[in-house]
Amino acid sequence: MLSHDQEHHAHERRFWNRQILVAKWLNGITLGGSIAACLGLIALYVSILGANDSTMRANRAWLSPSFMVLNRPLENGSTIGFQIHVENVGREPATNGVYTFNYFLAPYITEGNGPDVFQENTTCRGLKPVPHSGITIYPGTVKFWIPYSFEDKKMIADILERKGSLVIEGCIAFLTFGQRHTSEFRFFLRDTLGPSCWAAKEGITTPQGVMQCWNFNGMLRGSGSD
């Protein structure tokens, strides 16, 4: 038989044990609610980031280096001159733009063969927009041409003798929404029967008839944007 004091102490222990269990249970509920609230806030933050990213992508500048043409006939002893047409297909101006070109001869690409160059286009590496300077390309129907020329007599001779195909690649780096973005491109010069000509439009008429122009074609690798 327990004494009265012992029964009283036992009763108190049972009472406080029940209180402790209730407190732990309530703490567990509170912790679970806090975790759920934190997960909800994280999900909300991620969704806001996703919405901001989608909004920026829908409204930022996107530069499309759509095509390239010779700007003078290709002849022995002359320079190689060309220009690339760039269009802003986004909704914001592309500002502080800078660009660079790289050129080389690939093994001759015969008519009907799939043109390809397996090396990576690295022209975007280290290319940074120039603060308070550089080109600005506005969205819409504005036509923007970037001209370029270089002199390499041996390369011109090899091109004319079909010893190799001219490949021109490059990159444009620009700012939109305060962030750096790039558009890289790669084209090769498709030669046709007869001499080269200024390829601003197809089928230049001469006294001898219609002359087939040498045009630049896009390549399977080396183009992209971020």
Side-chain angles (χ1 to χ4, degrees), residues 117-135:
V117 171
F118 291 96
Q119 70 188 48
E120 181 183 1
N121 183 347
T122 60
T123 53
C124 288
R125 294 181 182 176
L127 188 63
K128 297 180 180 180
V130 179
H132 312 297
S133 184
I135 60 176

Side-chain angles (χ1 to χ4, degrees), residues 21-35:
L21 288 175
V22 171
K24 289 182 177 179
W25 182 69
L26 292 174
N27 287 338
I29 294 176
T30 303
L31 178 61
S34 299
I35 293 174

